[in-house]
Amino acid sequence: AWNSDNILASAGDDNTVRFWTVEGNPIGLPQYGHSRRIINIAWSPNKILASSGDDGFIKFWNHKFKFLYYSSEQHDDFIGAIAWSSNNILASACDDGIIRLWNSKGRSIGSIDYDIIDENDSIMDLVWNSKNILIGNDYNGNIKFWNESGKLIKTIITLPFPTVIKFNNQFFALC
């Protein structure tokens, strides 16, 4: 994940977050904070990096490449998707069907019940659009849209199910 200062952050199976220059040179030492594999990383507009994964926690790192804090609550399972809004609200989702909302200081500010249909369903991806509408999709082919306060705006049913959602200022793409 790139930030607006062209700093690359990477993470993975070694439970570390690493920072890199555009040229591919490491910045500082690997940063430890997760007890298990890291699945997702995402930069906020105010240059806070969030990392999440198999341990159910979200860790927050500053633009100086140091650990800041971790979420005071955790999901019941691995966190499969995270996304920042332009207002620095982080959404996180796991197989429990709950999307949690966090501020950039790691404090819970709300949650959304995704309404998982069956035990084989889970949230696959999350993305915020430019108007701070949260978009999520699941294995059953549902795409859901919420406003920033967590109110469901719309549901679209697609088949086959999309696995990735990407958004620019006008359109969203499903892959």
Side-chain angles (χ1 to χ4, degrees), residues 144-160:
K144 296 185 179 187
F145 300 75
W146 299 271
N147 65 19
E148 210 171 28
S149 64
K151 182 178 189 276
L152 182 65
I153 299 168
K154 184 175 190 167
T155 299
I156 299 172
I157 300 172
T158 64
L159 291 174

Side-chain angles (χ1 to χ4, degrees), residues 87-104:
N87 291 339
N88 294 302
I89 294 173
L90 181 73
S92 63
C94 99
D95 282 349
D96 63 5
I98 303 295
I99 297 173
R100 297 187 194 277
L101 302 174
W102 313 87
N103 67 20
S104 60

Side-chain angles (χ1 to χ4, degrees), residues 55-81:
D55 61 5
F57 282 100
I58 299 170
K59 309 293 182 179
F60 295 84
W61 313 82
N62 71 14
H63 66 284
K64 301 289 185 197
F65 325 115
K66 297 293 180 190
F67 174 71
L68 288 177
Y69 28 73
Y70 62 91
S71 54
S72 56
E73 300 176 32
Q74 76 181 78
H75 282 275
D76 293 335
D77 203 348
F78 76 93
I79 300 171

Side-chain angles (χ1 to χ4, degrees), residues 3-171:
N3 76 5
S4 59
D5 292 335
N6 285 320
I7 302 296
L8 175 67
S10 65
D13 290 348
D14 65 354
N15 310 345
T16 65
V17 172
R18 297 170 190 261
F19 298 96
W20 308 87
T21 66
V22 174
E23 296 80 23
N25 298 316
I27 300 172
L29 297 171
Q31 300 296 306
Y32 294 89
H34 286 277
S35 62
R36 295 175 61 197
R37 174 179 68 140
I38 300 170
I39 299 173
N40 299 290
I41 53 175
W43 288 102
S44 73
N46 65 350
K47 300 178 186 165
I48 300 293
L49 181 77
S51 60
S52 67
D54 286 348
D55 61 5
F57 282 100
I58 299 170
K59 309 293 182 179
F60 295 84
W61 313 82
N62 71 14
H63 66 284
K64 301 289 185 197
F65 325 115
K66 297 293 180 190
F67 174 71
L68 288 177
Y69 28 73
Y70 62 91
S71 54
S72 56
E73 300 176 32
Q74 76 181 78
H75 282 275
D76 293 335
D77 203 348
F78 76 93
I79 300 171
I82 59 174
W84 286 101
S85 76
S86 63
N87 291 339
N88 294 302
I89 294 173
L90 181 73
S92 63
C94 99
D95 282 349
D96 63 5
I98 303 295
I99 297 173
R100 297 187 194 277
L101 302 174
W102 313 87
N103 67 20
S104 60
K105 298 197 181 304
R107 292 188 180 91
S108 176
I109 58 172
S111 64
I112 299 168
D113 184 356
Y114 191 87
D115 196 21
I116 294 294
I117 296 170
D118 62 52
E119 63 189 43
N120 297 319
D121 195 13
S122 67
I123 302 163
M124 298 171 62
D125 202 5
L126 294 172
V127 65
W128 293 90
N129 74 9
S130 59
K131 296 181 180 179
N132 289 316
I133 302 297
L134 180 63
I135 306 167
N137 68 308
D138 63 39
Y139 283 105
N140 282 328
N142 296 299
I143 302 169
K144 296 185 179 187
F145 300 75
W146 299 271
N147 65 19
E148 210 171 28
S149 64
K151 182 178 189 276
L152 182 65
I153 299 168
K154 184 175 190 167
T155 299
I156 299 172
I157 300 172
T158 64
L159 291 174
F161 61 84
T163 57
V164 177
I165 302 173
K166 297 298 175 196
F167 193 84
N168 70 17
N169 288 333
Q170 296 178 333
F171 305 100

